[in-house]
C-alpha cells in the first residue's frame, strides 16, 4: 500500500477502504507517512468529503491510535458533554457538578480556547491552584471520589488526532465536517463514556455560522457515536450573542458559581439545566428530559452541586473557597465601560467580534502559543432585546494593560447594534438531533 | 503574508495575487515554506484550477527561481521543441540535427523517462560515451560549434520546478494542466530560446488520453509562452499507437539514424519533418511550413543532418561512428517474438501497455531511482492497419534477463487487437494550435 495511491483515489472521489484509512492513520501516528502526503490527503478530503463508512473507519482508527479508557469496572453510567465552542460558553463548569451530584459520572477531557472562542481548561486554570494535567490514574481516582473530573488532553488519548489537528491548523484543512467529526468523536469515545450530549453551536459566534452546517455536523457525530455503540444526542443551540453576561476566564467561573448558587443569567442557567437533563436521560438516571431538568434544578437548590464543585476543585488542587467567595479569583486591575451611542433596543451583538475583543485584552489566544490573562474580560450590561438609554453602559471592560484597549473598545463599539424596537426573541435551543 | 492564508484562499476558489504566488514559489525554492503547506496548496490547485493571470505569475516565478540563459549575443534564432511524452517518441534526435543543419540553433534541455514513456536523455545515454551532464558553459560552446546541444536539467534552471515536481510526484498532484504548463514553460523559457514548438500527445499512450485535455494544455502553454514574448505553436499529435517501430533506448537511436539516412518508418519521418518545418518557420528561416518541410528533407537527403548529428555526438563525448554503424550501439542478448494468435488486420495497439512492457524488460523506469538497460526493447513488426497471418510475428522482444519476460509477453499479447478488417487510418497530426 502506498500513500500516494490513496491520495490519488480520494482526489478522484473514490471511496477509501478501512485498510487504506488505517494505513494513513497509523502512518500519521508513528510518523511513517510524511506530513506532505497527509496534507495533500487532508485537502482532498476537504474537496471530496467522506462516505459514512469512511468516516466511521477514520474515527475508529484515530480512537485506536491511542489508549481507550475503560471505566466498566466503576459502577454507574458515565456521560460527557461536548460543545463545538462559542463566546461565554461555560456550561461545562455548571453541568459537571450538577450531573455528578445527581449520581451520574462525568469524566470530562476538555480543550483550550483559540481565537474568539474560550476553552474549559483556561477557565478552570483561573481557579488558583487548579491542575488540569492529571495522569489517567488520577483522572480515574478523582472521578471515583466525587463523580466528575475535569482534565486536559493527555498524550495517550488519540495521538493521531493530535498529529492531524496540528497539520490541519497550518494547511487550511480545519473546516471539514468529516474531519471535525472524527477529531471530536475519536477523543470523546476514548473517555470510557456510555453516552454523550453534544452542544453544537450555530450563529455569528460559532464555528458553524449557518444552522444547516451545524445540523450536518451534528448528524455526522450522532451517527458516528451511535454506530460505535454509544447513546448520543445533539442540541443545536444559538450563538448569535454570547451565552450569559460574562466573558473571560475568571469572570466565567464567577458566573458559573452564581448559577450554582441559584442565581446568574437565565440563558446560561437554562442551557446548563437542559444539557444536564439530557445527560441524566441518556444515562438512564431519569425517564424524561423534564424529570432530568427537575433533578438538575434540585441539585442546585439543595446545594449538592456546589458541594461537588468544591470537592472536585479540592481534589484537583484548587482553591475550593472560590465557590463561596469569588473575590478569591484573579481580577483585572482596571475597568472601563462602553456606553450606548443612542437610545433604543439592542438589536444584535456581533458575537465573534465580542470574542475577539476579549481575546485582545488577553482573555484568549490569537496563536496557540499565546498566554492567557485570567482576570480580564467583558461583562455585558445589556443583551439582545434590552432597552437602553443614550450614555448607559452596554458592557464593562476588565483590563490590565492599556496596549490593546483602544482596539478592543473600537471593536466592541462596532459589535452592538441598537435599533428602534426590540427584535423578536429567538429560542436558545433550535433543534434536537438524535433523540 | 502567511502560507496558510494563501492555501485557504485557493481552497475557497479565490484568485491569488502575483505577490502571493511569488511568496509561495520563493518559499519553496529556499525551503522557507514547509512541504506540507506546499502539498496542501498543490491539491487545492488540482481542485480549483488557476486563472490566466495566476498561471502567468506561477510560470514567471518558477522561471526566475533560477538562472535564465541569455543567448542574445549568439547570432541566429534559437528554437526548441518539447513533447509531452509518449511511446517510441524519438523525434528530438532527428529534428535537432536537421534544424541545426538548416541554420537554426537548437538548445535542448530534456528529461528522463518514467513509467511507460521514454526520455530523450536515456536514449542519448545509450550512445557509448555520450555525456548529457554538461555545464551551462559547455552547453553554450557545443551549441555555438555545431548548432545544437542536448543536455539534461541543470541545478541552475528553475529550481522551484525541481522542488515542486518532486512533491507533486508523491502527493498525487501531477495531473493539473496549470501545474504541467508552469513546469514545462518555466524550464523552456529558461533555455534562452526565441521560439518553441510543442508536440502535445494524445491517445492511449499519452499523458493526456483525451484530445480535449491535450488541446486545453496546448492552449495554456501557447498563451503562456506568447505572453512571455516567445513564438509558440503546438501540434496535437496521435499517440494511440507507438511512434515508429522501435521502442527502447538504443533501438530508438538506431531508428533515428535510419531516418537521418533517408529510411526508417513513415510516421516517425513525417512527424520529425513537420516539427522541423514549424521550427524553421517560427525561427523566420522559411516563410511557410511547406518550405520548411522541403528544407528539412533536403538536410536529410544531402547528409548534412547526419554530419551535424556526428558532430554533436563527438562534442558531447559520444561515439560518433554509431551514425554509420548502429552495430556499435548496445544490444540485448536475446530475442523472441510475439506471434499473431489469428489472421486479420491489426485493429489497435494499446500503446500504454506496450510502453509498460518495454519498461518491464528494463527499457524504462517504474520508479525514478531505477536504472535503465539501454539494449532492451521492442520492434513492432506490424502496426495498426497491417494485415497479419496466424503465427506471423507481431513484435520482436529484445531482452537480457528472463525475470520479467513472461509478464512483459503477457502484457504485449493483450496489447494487440486483431480484427476482420483494417481500421480507418487516422491522421498523425490532429490539430495545430497557436499558428
Amino acid at each position: 500500500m502506498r500513500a500516494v495511491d490513496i491520495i490519488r483515489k480520494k482526489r478522484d472521489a473514490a471511496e477509501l477502504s478501512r485498510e487504506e484509512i488505517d494505513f494513513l492513520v497509523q502512518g500519521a501516528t508513528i510518523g511513517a507517512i510524511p506530513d506532505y502526503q497527509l496534507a495533500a490527503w487532508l485537502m482532498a478530503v476537504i474537496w471530496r468529503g467522506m462516505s459514512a463508512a469512511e468516516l466511521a473507519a477514520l474515527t475508529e482508527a484515530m480512537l485506536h491510535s491511542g489508549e481507550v479508557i475503560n471505566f466498566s469496572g466503576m459502577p454507574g453510567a458515565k456521560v460527557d458533554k461536548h460543545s463545538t465552542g462559542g463566546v461565554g460558553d461555560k456550561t461545562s463548569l455548571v453541568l459537571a457538578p450538577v450531573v455528578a451530584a445527581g449520581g451520574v459520572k462525568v469524566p470530562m477531557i476538555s480543550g483550550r480556547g483559540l481565537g474568539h472562542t474560550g476553552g474549559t481548561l483556561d477557565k478552570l486554570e483561573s481557579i488558583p491552584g487548579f491542575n488540569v494535567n492529571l495522569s489517567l490514574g488520577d483522572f480515574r481516582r478523582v472521578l471515583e471520589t466525587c463523580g466528575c473530573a475535569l482534565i486536559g488532553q493527555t498524550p495517550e488519548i488519540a495521538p493521531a488526532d493530535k498529529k492531524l489537528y496540528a497539520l490541519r491548523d497550518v494547511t487550511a484543512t480545519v473546516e471539514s465536517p468529516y474531519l471535525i467529526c472524527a477529531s471530536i468523536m475519536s477523543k470523546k469515545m476514548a473517555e470510557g463514556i456510555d453516552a454523550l450530549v453534544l452542544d453544537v453551536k450555530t450563529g455569528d459566534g460559532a464555528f458553524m455560522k449557518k444552522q444547516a452546517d451545524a445540523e450536518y455536523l451534528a448528524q455526522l457525530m450522532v451517527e458516528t457515536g451511535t454506530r460505535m455503540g454509544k447513546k448520543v444526542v445533539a442540541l443545536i443551540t444559538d450563538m448569535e450573542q454570547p451565552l450569559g453576561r460574562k466573558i473571560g476566564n475568571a469572570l466565567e467561573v464567577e458566573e458559573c458559581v452564581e448559577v450554582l448558587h441559584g442565581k446568574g443569567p437565565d440563558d446560561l442557567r437554562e442551557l446548563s439545566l437542559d444539557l444536564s437533563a439530557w445527560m441524566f436521560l441518556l444515562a438512564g438516571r431519569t425517564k424524561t428530559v423534564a424529570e432530568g431538568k427537575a433533578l438538575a434544578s434540585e441539585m442546585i437548590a439543595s446545594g449538592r452541586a456546589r458541594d461537588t464543585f468544591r470537592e472536585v476543585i479540592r481534589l484537583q488542587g484548587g482553591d475550593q473557597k472560590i465557590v463561596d467567595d469569588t473575590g478569591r479569583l484573579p481580577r483585572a486591575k482596571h475597568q472601563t465601560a462602553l456606553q450606548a451611542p443612542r437610545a433604543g433596543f439592542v438589536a444584535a451583538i456581533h458575537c465573534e467580534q465580542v470574542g475577539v475583543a476579549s481575546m485582545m485584552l488577553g482573555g484568549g489566544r490569537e496563536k496557540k502559543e499565546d498566554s492567557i490573562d485570567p482576570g480580564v474580560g467583558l461583562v455585558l450590561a445589556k443583551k439582545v432585546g434590552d432597552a437602553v438609554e443614550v450614555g448607559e453602559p452596554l458592557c464593562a471592560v476588565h483590563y490590565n494593560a492599556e496596549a490593546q484597549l483602544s482596539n478592543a473598545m473600537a471593536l466592541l463599539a462596532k459589535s452592538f447594534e441598537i435599533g428602534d424596537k426590540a427584535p423578536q426573541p429567538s429560542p436558545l435551543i433550535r433543534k434536537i438531533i438524535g433523540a
Side-chain angles (χ1 to χ4, degrees), chain A:
Chain A
M1 217 177 274
R2 297 192 316 162
V4 64
D5 299 322
I6 303 176
I7 301 167
R8 184 176 296 110
K9 206 170 157 184
K10 177 54 44 189
R11 180 198 74 184
D12 294 343
E15 187 179 44
L16 301 186
S17 70
R18 179 171 286 268
E19 290 67 34
E20 287 167 331
I21 288 173
D22 283 346
F23 178 80
L24 287 179
V25 172
Q26 283 166 19
T29 309
I30 63 172
I33 297 178
D35 288 353
Y36 50 80
Q37 290 187 314
L38 297 171
W41 170 71
L42 288 168
M43 186 59 82
V45 170
I46 294 270
W47 176 7
R48 299 300 195 178
M50 280 193 155
S51 70
E54 286 179 306
L55 178 54
L58 178 63
T59 308
E60 285 169 37
M62 284 167 62
L63 167 65
H64 294 292
S65 72
E67 198 167 320
V68 179
I69 301 175
N70 186 347
F71 285 141
S72 60
M74 199 187 296
K78 292 99 207 166
V79 183
D80 193 12
K81 182 230 54 163
H82 177 82
S83 162
T84 58
V87 179
D89 175 25
K90 53 188 87 74
T91 62
S92 292
L93 275 62
V94 176
L95 61 81
V98 163
V99 173
V104 172
K105 293 205 164 51
V106 184
M108 188 178 272
I109 301 182
S110 305
R112 298 197 176 274
L114 189 63
H116 70 283
T117 65
T120 298
L121 295 186
D122 301 320
K123 295 169 198 178
L124 288 168
E125 285 183 343
S126 75
I127 300 172
F130 198 101
N131 179 16
V132 298
N133 300 311
L134 302 191
S135 68
L136 289 183
D138 286 338
F139 181 51
R140 178 185 294 264
R141 276 185 287 279
V142 172
L143 181 66
E144 259 177 329
T145 310
C146 76
C148 64
L150 307 159
I151 66 165
Q153 275 298 316
T154 73
E156 298 95 335
I157 301 284
D161 177 66
K162 211 157 285 148
K163 169 77 188 180
L164 290 176
Y165 193 85
L167 202 50
R168 287 165 61 202
D169 192 41
V170 290
T171 56
T173 52
V174 169
E175 299 92 336
S176 155
Y178 310 99
L179 298 176
I180 295 169
C181 172
S183 173
I184 293 173
M185 296 306 283
S186 65
K187 285 181 292 192
K188 289 288 147 184
M189 296 296 109
E191 283 179 347
I193 51 176
D194 306 294
L196 178 65
V197 176
L198 295 161
D199 181 1
V200 182
K201 303 288 188 191
T202 185
D204 182 71
F207 195 76
M208 306 276 161
K209 310 285 181 207
K210 294 182 203 153
Q211 186 167 337
D213 292 342
E215 288 181 21
Y216 189 77
L217 173 62
Q219 196 71 51
L220 289 180
M221 292 196 289
V222 168
E223 281 168 13
T224 301
T226 306
R227 199 184 297 108
M228 293 167 86
K230 310 294 178 186
K231 291 185 182 168
V232 186
V233 72
L235 279 62
I236 309 291
T237 71
D238 184 279
M239 192 35 76
E240 286 294 350
Q241 65 173 332
L243 186 66
R245 292 183 178 272
K246 299 188 178 176
I247 301 146
N249 297 287
L251 287 167
E252 295 193 36
V253 172
E254 182 175 70
E255 194 167 52
C256 291
V257 169
E258 292 166 20
V259 172
L260 290 172
H261 278 277
K263 300 173 215 157
D266 291 349
D267 57 351
L268 173 62
R269 185 179 52 248
E270 286 304 305
L271 185 56
S272 301
L273 291 176
D274 275 306
L275 291 166
S276 301
W278 278 102
M279 292 170 80
F280 284 135
L281 180 71
L282 295 196
R285 175 70 178 79
T286 61
K287 291 216 161 45
T288 64
V289 177
E291 215 180 295
K293 202 159 171 179
L295 177 58
S297 300
E298 169 56 23
M299 291 304 107
I300 291 176
S302 66
R304 288 183 55 194
R306 286 195 300 283
D307 294 343
T308 301
F309 196 39
R310 280 189 209 96
E311 180 82 346
V312 71
I313 293 173
R314 187 180 66 79
L315 289 169
Q316 296 197 220
D319 176 7
Q320 65 181 85
K321 293 183 185 160
I322 63 111
V323 177
D324 302 287
D325 175 10
T326 53
R328 301 172 73 91
L329 289 167
R331 191 163 286 274
K333 288 197 205 83
H334 313 290
Q335 272 194 41
T336 184
L338 176 74
Q339 291 169 335
R342 52 163 288 199
F345 294 88
V346 178
I349 302 176
H350 294 300
C351 193
E352 179 167 352
Q353 287 182 11
V354 171
V356 171
S358 172
M359 180 193 82
M360 284 174 161
L361 297 171
R365 292 181 186 80
E366 190 172 349
K367 300 185 299 291
K368 268 179 302 200
E369 314 76 62
D370 294 346
S371 63
I372 290 270
D373 184 344
V376 301
L378 308 170
V379 180
L380 304 181
K382 301 287 177 185
K383 293 200 63 174
V384 173
D386 287 352
V388 60
E389 296 302 322
V390 61
E392 213 185 347
L394 292 170
C395 171
V397 178
H398 295 231
Y399 67 100
N400 278 320
E402 299 281 336
Q404 287 290 325
L405 182 65
S406 62
N407 286 335
M409 290 297 285
L411 197 59
L412 279 176
K414 286 196 296 184
S415 302
F416 281 81
E417 273 184 37
I418 298 175
D420 293 330
K421 49 183 186 178
Q424 202 68 23
S426 60
L428 194 56
I429 297 174
R430 296 198 191 171
K431 199 163 184 171
I432 293 168
I433 288 173

PDB file of all heavy atoms in Angstrom, chain A residues 247-270:
ATOM      1  N   ILE A 247     -17.644  37.189  29.975  1.00  0.00           N
ATOM      2  CA  ILE A 247     -16.727  36.609  29.014  1.00  0.00           C
ATOM      3  C   ILE A 247     -15.315  36.851  29.531  1.00  0.00           C
ATOM      4  O   ILE A 247     -14.989  37.991  29.893  1.00  0.00           O
ATOM      5  CB  ILE A 247     -16.902  37.269  27.629  1.00  0.00           C
ATOM      6  CG1 ILE A 247     -18.349  37.082  27.143  1.00  0.00           C
ATOM      7  CG2 ILE A 247     -15.912  36.691  26.614  1.00  0.00           C
ATOM      8  CD1 ILE A 247     -18.850  38.251  26.342  1.00  0.00           C
ATOM      9  N   GLY A 248     -14.494  35.816  29.535  1.00  0.00           N
ATOM     10  CA  GLY A 248     -13.171  35.921  30.164  1.00  0.00           C
ATOM     11  C   GLY A 248     -13.093  34.819  31.204  1.00  0.00           C
ATOM     12  O   GLY A 248     -14.120  34.400  31.736  1.00  0.00           O
ATOM     13  N   ASN A 249     -11.915  34.383  31.539  1.00  0.00           N
ATOM     14  CA  ASN A 249     -11.790  33.113  32.247  1.00  0.00           C
ATOM     15  C   ASN A 249     -12.296  33.144  33.685  1.00  0.00           C
ATOM     16  O   ASN A 249     -13.245  32.439  34.027  1.00  0.00           O
ATOM     17  CB  ASN A 249     -10.356  32.621  32.115  1.00  0.00           C
ATOM     18  CG  ASN A 249     -10.054  32.365  30.645  1.00  0.00           C
ATOM     19  OD1 ASN A 249     -10.551  31.395  30.092  1.00  0.00           O
ATOM     20  ND2 ASN A 249      -9.314  33.243  29.996  1.00  0.00           N
ATOM     21  N   ALA A 250     -11.713  33.991  34.545  1.00  0.00           N
ATOM     22  CA  ALA A 250     -12.179  34.050  35.938  1.00  0.00           C
ATOM     23  C   ALA A 250     -13.619  34.579  35.994  1.00  0.00           C
ATOM     24  O   ALA A 250     -14.430  34.121  36.807  1.00  0.00           O
ATOM     25  CB  ALA A 250     -11.258  34.929  36.771  1.00  0.00           C
ATOM     26  N   LEU A 251     -13.938  35.525  35.115  1.00  0.00           N
ATOM     27  CA  LEU A 251     -15.305  36.059  35.072  1.00  0.00           C
ATOM     28  C   LEU A 251     -16.313  34.952  34.764  1.00  0.00           C
ATOM     29  O   LEU A 251     -17.417  34.929  35.323  1.00  0.00           O
ATOM     30  CB  LEU A 251     -15.405  37.181  34.025  1.00  0.00           C
ATOM     31  CG  LEU A 251     -14.743  38.511  34.405  1.00  0.00           C
ATOM     32  CD1 LEU A 251     -14.635  39.425  33.186  1.00  0.00           C
ATOM     33  CD2 LEU A 251     -15.525  39.196  35.530  1.00  0.00           C
ATOM     34  N   GLU A 252     -15.943  34.038  33.901  1.00  0.00           N
ATOM     35  CA  GLU A 252     -16.871  32.950  33.559  1.00  0.00           C
ATOM     36  C   GLU A 252     -17.011  31.949  34.704  1.00  0.00           C
ATOM     37  O   GLU A 252     -18.107  31.416  34.942  1.00  0.00           O
ATOM     38  CB  GLU A 252     -16.434  32.274  32.250  1.00  0.00           C
ATOM     39  CG  GLU A 252     -16.527  33.251  31.070  1.00  0.00           C
ATOM     40  CD  GLU A 252     -16.422  32.583  29.708  1.00  0.00           C
ATOM     41  OE1 GLU A 252     -16.915  31.465  29.533  1.00  0.00           O
ATOM     42  OE2 GLU A 252     -15.847  33.222  28.787  1.00  0.00           O
ATOM     43  N   VAL A 253     -15.924  31.693  35.424  1.00  0.00           N
ATOM     44  CA  VAL A 253     -16.021  30.827  36.601  1.00  0.00           C
ATOM     45  C   VAL A 253     -16.981  31.477  37.606  1.00  0.00           C
ATOM     46  O   VAL A 253     -17.861  30.815  38.173  1.00  0.00           O
ATOM     47  CB  VAL A 253     -14.631  30.597  37.240  1.00  0.00           C
ATOM     48  CG1 VAL A 253     -14.779  29.867  38.583  1.00  0.00           C
ATOM     49  CG2 VAL A 253     -13.729  29.809  36.299  1.00  0.00           C
ATOM     50  N   GLU A 254     -16.806  32.769  37.792  1.00  0.00           N
ATOM     51  CA  GLU A 254     -17.676  33.514  38.715  1.00  0.00           C
ATOM     52  C   GLU A 254     -19.148  33.376  38.323  1.00  0.00           C
ATOM     53  O   GLU A 254     -20.015  33.142  39.160  1.00  0.00           O
ATOM     54  CB  GLU A 254     -17.246  34.984  38.675  1.00  0.00           C
ATOM     55  CG  GLU A 254     -17.999  35.894  39.596  1.00  0.00           C
ATOM     56  CD  GLU A 254     -17.398  37.318  39.545  1.00  0.00           C
ATOM     57  OE1 GLU A 254     -17.555  37.995  38.497  1.00  0.00           O
ATOM     58  OE2 GLU A 254     -16.763  37.710  40.527  1.00  0.00           O
ATOM     59  N   GLU A 255     -19.427  33.487  37.038  1.00  0.00           N
ATOM     60  CA  GLU A 255     -20.825  33.394  36.589  1.00  0.00           C
ATOM     61  C   GLU A 255     -21.378  31.976  36.805  1.00  0.00           C
ATOM     62  O   GLU A 255     -22.548  31.791  37.116  1.00  0.00           O
ATOM     63  CB  GLU A 255     -20.930  33.798  35.106  1.00  0.00           C
ATOM     64  CG  GLU A 255     -22.365  34.064  34.673  1.00  0.00           C
ATOM     65  CD  GLU A 255     -22.437  34.764  33.317  1.00  0.00           C
ATOM     66  OE1 GLU A 255     -21.805  34.265  32.364  1.00  0.00           O
ATOM     67  OE2 GLU A 255     -23.099  35.803  33.208  1.00  0.00           O
ATOM     68  N   CYS A 256     -20.517  30.957  36.627  1.00  0.00           N
ATOM     69  CA  CYS A 256     -20.952  29.584  36.889  1.00  0.00           C
ATOM     70  C   CYS A 256     -21.265  29.384  38.375  1.00  0.00           C
ATOM     71  O   CYS A 256     -22.236  28.706  38.729  1.00  0.00           O
ATOM     72  CB  CYS A 256     -19.875  28.587  36.448  1.00  0.00           C
ATOM     73  SG  CYS A 256     -19.700  28.535  34.668  1.00  0.00           S
ATOM     74  N   VAL A 257     -20.437  29.973  39.214  1.00  0.00           N
ATOM     75  CA  VAL A 257     -20.694  29.891  40.650  1.00  0.00           C
ATOM     76  C   VAL A 257     -22.038  30.556  40.983  1.00  0.00           C
ATOM     77  O   VAL A 257     -22.829  30.032  41.775  1.00  0.00           O
ATOM     78  CB  VAL A 257     -19.517  30.518  41.443  1.00  0.00           C
ATOM     79  CG1 VAL A 257     -19.893  30.696  42.920  1.00  0.00           C
ATOM     80  CG2 VAL A 257     -18.260  29.658  41.295  1.00  0.00           C
ATOM     81  N   GLU A 258     -22.310  31.684  40.320  1.00  0.00           N
ATOM     82  CA  GLU A 258     -23.625  32.344  40.510  1.00  0.00           C
ATOM     83  C   GLU A 258     -24.754  31.371  40.188  1.00  0.00           C
ATOM     84  O   GLU A 258     -25.728  31.252  40.943  1.00  0.00           O
ATOM     85  CB  GLU A 258     -23.756  33.577  39.616  1.00  0.00           C
ATOM     86  CG  GLU A 258     -22.823  34.733  39.989  1.00  0.00           C
ATOM     87  CD  GLU A 258     -22.748  35.792  38.884  1.00  0.00           C
ATOM     88  OE1 GLU A 258     -23.649  35.858  38.024  1.00  0.00           O
ATOM     89  OE2 GLU A 258     -21.757  36.561  38.873  1.00  0.00           O
ATOM     90  N   VAL A 259     -24.631  30.685  39.063  1.00  0.00           N
ATOM     91  CA  VAL A 259     -25.689  29.738  38.664  1.00  0.00           C
ATOM     92  C   VAL A 259     -25.805  28.617  39.703  1.00  0.00           C
ATOM     93  O   VAL A 259     -26.910  28.214  40.082  1.00  0.00           O
ATOM     94  CB  VAL A 259     -25.422  29.163  37.254  1.00  0.00           C
ATOM     95  CG1 VAL A 259     -26.409  28.035  36.916  1.00  0.00           C
ATOM     96  CG2 VAL A 259     -25.529  30.267  36.199  1.00  0.00           C
ATOM     97  N   LEU A 260     -24.652  28.125  40.184  1.00  0.00           N
ATOM     98  CA  LEU A 260     -24.698  27.055  41.192  1.00  0.00           C
ATOM     99  C   LEU A 260     -25.296  27.546  42.514  1.00  0.00           C
ATOM    100  O   LEU A 260     -25.731  26.751  43.340  1.00  0.00           O
ATOM    101  CB  LEU A 260     -23.288  26.477  41.421  1.00  0.00           C
ATOM    102  CG  LEU A 260     -22.709  25.655  40.256  1.00  0.00           C
ATOM    103  CD1 LEU A 260     -21.259  25.297  40.520  1.00  0.00           C
ATOM    104  CD2 LEU A 260     -23.532  24.399  39.991  1.00  0.00           C
ATOM    105  N   HIS A 261     -25.327  28.855  42.679  1.00  0.00           N
ATOM    106  CA  HIS A 261     -25.991  29.442  43.853  1.00  0.00           C
ATOM    107  C   HIS A 261     -27.447  29.804  43.548  1.00  0.00           C
ATOM    108  O   HIS A 261     -28.080  30.491  44.355  1.00  0.00           O
ATOM    109  CB  HIS A 261     -25.233  30.696  44.328  1.00  0.00           C
ATOM    110  CG  HIS A 261     -24.037  30.381  45.183  1.00  0.00           C
ATOM    111  ND1 HIS A 261     -24.119  30.133  46.538  1.00  0.00           N
ATOM    112  CD2 HIS A 261     -22.731  30.234  44.856  1.00  0.00           C
ATOM    113  CE1 HIS A 261     -22.915  29.873  47.022  1.00  0.00           C
ATOM    114  NE2 HIS A 261     -22.038  29.929  46.017  1.00  0.00           N
ATOM    115  N   GLY A 262     -27.942  29.351  42.397  1.00  0.00           N
ATOM    116  CA  GLY A 262     -29.347  29.617  42.066  1.00  0.00           C
ATOM    117  C   GLY A 262     -29.577  30.984  41.465  1.00  0.00           C
ATOM    118  O   GLY A 262     -30.703  31.421  41.294  1.00  0.00           O
ATOM    119  N   LYS A 263     -28.461  31.655  41.122  1.00  0.00           N
ATOM    120  CA  LYS A 263     -28.618  32.984  40.519  1.00  0.00           C
ATOM    121  C   LYS A 263     -28.097  32.926  39.078  1.00  0.00           C
ATOM    122  O   LYS A 263     -28.275  31.925  38.409  1.00  0.00           O
ATOM    123  CB  LYS A 263     -27.839  34.016  41.356  1.00  0.00           C
ATOM    124  CG  LYS A 263     -28.321  34.104  42.801  1.00  0.00           C
ATOM    125  CD  LYS A 263     -27.410  35.005  43.612  1.00  0.00           C
ATOM    126  CE  LYS A 263     -27.256  34.504  45.053  1.00  0.00           C
ATOM    127  NZ  LYS A 263     -26.035  34.971  45.688  1.00  0.00           N
ATOM    128  N   GLY A 264     -27.480  33.999  38.625  1.00  0.00           N
ATOM    129  CA  GLY A 264     -26.884  34.009  37.293  1.00  0.00           C
ATOM    130  C   GLY A 264     -27.906  34.235  36.204  1.00  0.00           C
ATOM    131  O   GLY A 264     -29.119  34.248  36.453  1.00  0.00           O
ATOM    132  N   PRO A 265     -27.446  34.442  34.993  1.00  0.00           N
ATOM    133  CA  PRO A 265     -28.346  34.778  33.883  1.00  0.00           C
ATOM    134  C   PRO A 265     -29.196  33.593  33.433  1.00  0.00           C
ATOM    135  O   PRO A 265     -28.772  32.439  33.514  1.00  0.00           O
ATOM    136  CB  PRO A 265     -27.387  35.220  32.776  1.00  0.00           C
ATOM    137  CG  PRO A 265     -26.064  34.655  33.130  1.00  0.00           C
ATOM    138  CD  PRO A 265     -26.029  34.438  34.600  1.00  0.00           C
ATOM    139  N   ASP A 266     -30.397  33.934  32.961  1.00  0.00           N
ATOM    140  CA  ASP A 266     -31.368  32.904  32.570  1.00  0.00           C
ATOM    141  C   ASP A 266     -30.841  31.967  31.488  1.00  0.00           C
ATOM    142  O   ASP A 266     -31.028  30.758  31.564  1.00  0.00           O
ATOM    143  CB  ASP A 266     -32.644  33.571  32.031  1.00  0.00           C
ATOM    144  CG  ASP A 266     -33.418  34.288  33.133  1.00  0.00           C
ATOM    145  OD1 ASP A 266     -33.075  34.075  34.321  1.00  0.00           O
ATOM    146  OD2 ASP A 266     -34.336  35.055  32.795  1.00  0.00           O
ATOM    147  N   ASP A 267     -30.235  32.556  30.438  1.00  0.00           N
ATOM    148  CA  ASP A 267     -29.863  31.715  29.296  1.00  0.00           C
ATOM    149  C   ASP A 267     -28.828  30.665  29.695  1.00  0.00           C
ATOM    150  O   ASP A 267     -28.941  29.489  29.342  1.00  0.00           O
ATOM    151  CB  ASP A 267     -29.381  32.550  28.085  1.00  0.00           C
ATOM    152  CG  ASP A 267     -28.206  33.470  28.386  1.00  0.00           C
ATOM    153  OD1 ASP A 267     -27.832  33.616  29.564  1.00  0.00           O
ATOM    154  OD2 ASP A 267     -27.659  34.055  27.413  1.00  0.00           O
ATOM    155  N   LEU A 268     -27.825  31.093  30.486  1.00  0.00           N
ATOM    156  CA  LEU A 268     -26.798  30.151  30.927  1.00  0.00           C
ATOM    157  C   LEU A 268     -27.405  29.074  31.811  1.00  0.00           C
ATOM    158  O   LEU A 268     -27.107  27.889  31.656  1.00  0.00           O
ATOM    159  CB  LEU A 268     -25.683  30.899  31.666  1.00  0.00           C
ATOM    160  CG  LEU A 268     -24.619  30.005  32.323  1.00  0.00           C
ATOM    161  CD1 LEU A 268     -23.887  29.165  31.280  1.00  0.00           C
ATOM    162  CD2 LEU A 268     -23.630  30.856  33.133  1.00  0.00           C
ATOM    163  N   ARG A 269     -28.283  29.501  32.747  1.00  0.00           N
ATOM    164  CA  ARG A 269     -28.885  28.525  33.656  1.00  0.00           C
ATOM    165  C   ARG A 269     -29.745  27.530  32.884  1.00  0.00           C
ATOM    166  O   ARG A 269     -29.632  26.328  33.051  1.00  0.00           O
ATOM    167  CB  ARG A 269     -29.726  29.227  34.726  1.00  0.00           C
ATOM    168  CG  ARG A 269     -30.285  28.242  35.763  1.00  0.00           C
ATOM    169  CD  ARG A 269     -31.098  28.924  36.844  1.00  0.00           C
ATOM    170  NE  ARG A 269     -32.124  29.771  36.255  1.00  0.00           N
ATOM    171  CZ  ARG A 269     -32.132  31.115  36.328  1.00  0.00           C
ATOM    172  NH1 ARG A 269     -31.192  31.757  36.977  1.00  0.00           N
ATOM    173  NH2 ARG A 269     -33.101  31.803  35.735  1.00  0.00           N
ATOM    174  N   GLU A 270     -30.569  28.060  31.988  1.00  0.00           N
ATOM    175  CA  GLU A 270     -31.481  27.173  31.258  1.00  0.00           C
ATOM    176  C   GLU A 270     -30.728  26.165  30.400  1.00  0.00           C
ATOM    177  O   GLU A 270     -31.051  24.983  30.387  1.00  0.00           O
ATOM    178  CB  GLU A 270     -32.439  28.005  30.382  1.00  0.00           C
ATOM    179  CG  GLU A 270     -33.521  28.714  31.169  1.00  0.00           C
ATOM    180  CD  GLU A 270     -34.341  27.745  32.029  1.00  0.00           C
ATOM    181  OE1 GLU A 270     -34.879  26.770  31.465  1.00  0.00           O
ATOM    182  OE2 GLU A 270     -34.420  27.962  33.260  1.00  0.00           O
TER     183      GLU A 270
END
